[in-house]
């Protein structure tokens, strides 16, 4: 997707679309059956820009944290408002560093407005392109572009992915839909930092599974990105609470009691 199309994109703001979007959240396709015994926090990056792969990953590495990078292969080696996007070398470096690569479709389509066959074909292309770019690790994670989904699509993705992450704010726990997990957006605003900070502080009192997502990590970020010092502050706060800062696969495995502490 080019910067131009990213700017032009608007979710369907009609009343029926808004109602459907709300109802979709409550149409649970794959409920999490266990409760987190310790807080798991996943720092994640969508699309994903090179600044996430280098600066973002470095900030995680400083405290031994592992993150997830959702790759939209149609954006690979292109440039948009988030800066230069990832390439094959980034996939290699991130997986070598213990970070996880997730799927994010090939064309960054609005899954709420596309028919099921189109979405599934787009996802298959995304996975095939990641393999063609040399990614050898299995892709078990997905992030909905724009956070947009449909109730009928969610069960279809459950046979392809362990987790699909959305963009609606909130913590995750027992009963949360693994096909639309909640996440706190970290964008260029101070408010988004405050919301993520509050969520991390709350998670220190009640074990939960938190996702935080952003895009580029630059001194002058896009509207969807964040500054390095802000990301670093959140990562260190999360580390100081004693939470496990892990990939979504590691978090799910720990919550299900299949490995981890
Ligand atoms: Zn995206």
């Amino acid at each position: 997707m080019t910067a131009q199309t990213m700017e032009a994109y608007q979710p369907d703001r009609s009343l029926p679309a808004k109602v459907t979007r709300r109802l979709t959240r409550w149409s649970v396709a794959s409920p999490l059956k266990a409760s987190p015994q310790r807080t798991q926090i996943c720092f994640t990056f969508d699309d994903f820009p090179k600044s996430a792969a280098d600066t973002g990953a470095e900030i995680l590495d400083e405290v031994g944290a592992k993150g997830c990078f959702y790759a939209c292969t149609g954006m690979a080696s292109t440039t948009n408002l988030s800066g230069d996007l990832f390439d094959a070398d980034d996939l290699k470096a991130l997986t070598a560093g213990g970070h996880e690569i997730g799927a994010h479709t090939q064309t960054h389509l609005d899954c709420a407005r596309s028919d099921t066959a189109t979405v599934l074909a787009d996802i298959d292309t995304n996975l095939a392109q990641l393999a063609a770019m040399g990614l050898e690790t299995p892709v078990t994670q997905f992030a909905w572009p724009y956070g947009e989904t449909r109730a009928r699509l969610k069960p279809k993705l459950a046979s392809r992915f362990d987790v699909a992450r959305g963009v609606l704010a909130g913590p995750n726990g027992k009963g949360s839909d693994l096909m639309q997990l909640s996440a706190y957006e970290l964008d260029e605003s101070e408010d988004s930092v405050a919301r993520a900070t509050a969520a991390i502080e709350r998670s220190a009192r009640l074990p939960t599974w938190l996702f935080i997502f952003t895009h580029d990590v630059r001194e002058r970020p896009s509207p969807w990105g964040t500054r390095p010092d802000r990301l670093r502050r959140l990562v260190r706060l999360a580390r100081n609470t004693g939470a496990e800062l892990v990939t979504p696969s590691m978090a799910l495995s720990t919550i299900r009691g299949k490995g981890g502490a």
Side-chain angles (χ1 to χ4, degrees), residues 59-76:
I59 290 169
L60 296 181
D61 291 342
E62 286 167 5
V63 300
K66 304 298 178 196
C68 186
F69 298 75
Y70 299 97
C72 171
T73 41
M75 294 183 182

Side-chain angles (χ1 to χ4, degrees), residues 215-258:
H215 292 79
D216 47 310
V217 183
R218 297 183 294 176
E219 294 298 337
R220 289 185 173 195
S222 73
W224 312 280
T226 191
R227 294 196 325 238
D229 62 317
R230 288 178 168 178
L231 178 63
R232 183 175 284 111
R233 207 186 327 145
L234 283 175
V235 168
R236 294 198 171 177
L237 171 68
R239 169 56 78 222
N240 290 340
T241 64
E244 295 184 359
L245 312 188
V246 292
T247 66
S249 284
M250 293 161 77
L252 182 61
S253 181
T254 299
I255 293 168
R256 285 175 165 167
K258 297 174 187 168

Side-chain angles (χ1 to χ4, degrees), residues 46-47 104 108 145-146 215:
D46 288 9
D47 293 351
H104 196 45
H108 209 274
Y146 317 108
H215 292 79

Side-chain angles (χ1 to χ4, degrees), residues 94-109:
L94 288 168
T95 49
H99 300 289
E100 184 162 27
I101 302 298
H104 196 45
T105 75
Q106 193 251 329
T107 62
H108 209 274
L109 75 176

Side-chain angles (χ1 to χ4, degrees), residues 23-160:
L23 291 176
T24 298
R25 187 181 200 184
W26 305 115
S27 173
V28 175
S30 180
L32 179 62
K33 294 194 174 76
S35 298
Q37 300 300 304
R38 275 187 73 183
T39 291
Q40 310 287 315
I41 301 182
C42 301
F43 283 91
T44 65
F45 304 85
D46 288 9
D47 293 351
F48 59 87
K50 273 193 165 288
S51 61
D54 47 44
T55 308
E58 275 168 28
I59 290 169
L60 296 181
D61 291 342
E62 286 167 5
V63 300
K66 304 298 178 196
C68 186
F69 298 75
Y70 299 97
C72 171
T73 41
M75 294 183 182
S77 301
T78 67
T79 299
N80 65 23
L81 291 183
S82 293
D84 293 339
L85 281 296
F86 78 101
D87 59 27
D89 289 343
D90 296 313
L91 298 178
K92 200 172 178 182
L94 288 168
T95 49
H99 300 289
E100 184 162 27
I101 302 298
H104 196 45
T105 75
Q106 193 251 329
T107 62
H108 209 274
L109 75 176
D110 178 341
C111 296
R113 286 201 259 181
S114 309
D115 64 75
T116 301
T118 302
V119 173
L120 297 180
D122 197 297
I123 287 170
D124 287 345
T125 304
N126 183 212
L127 294 173
Q129 290 180 340
L130 283 171
M133 290 175 79
L135 183 67
E136 291 173 352
T137 51
V139 179
T140 63
Q141 305 298 316
F142 178 77
W144 296 102
Y146 317 108
E148 295 290 338
T149 180
R150 274 187 299 116
R152 224 179 305 158
L153 259 177
K154 292 207 280 183
K156 302 273 186 197
L157 261 66
S159 62
R160 283 171 161 76

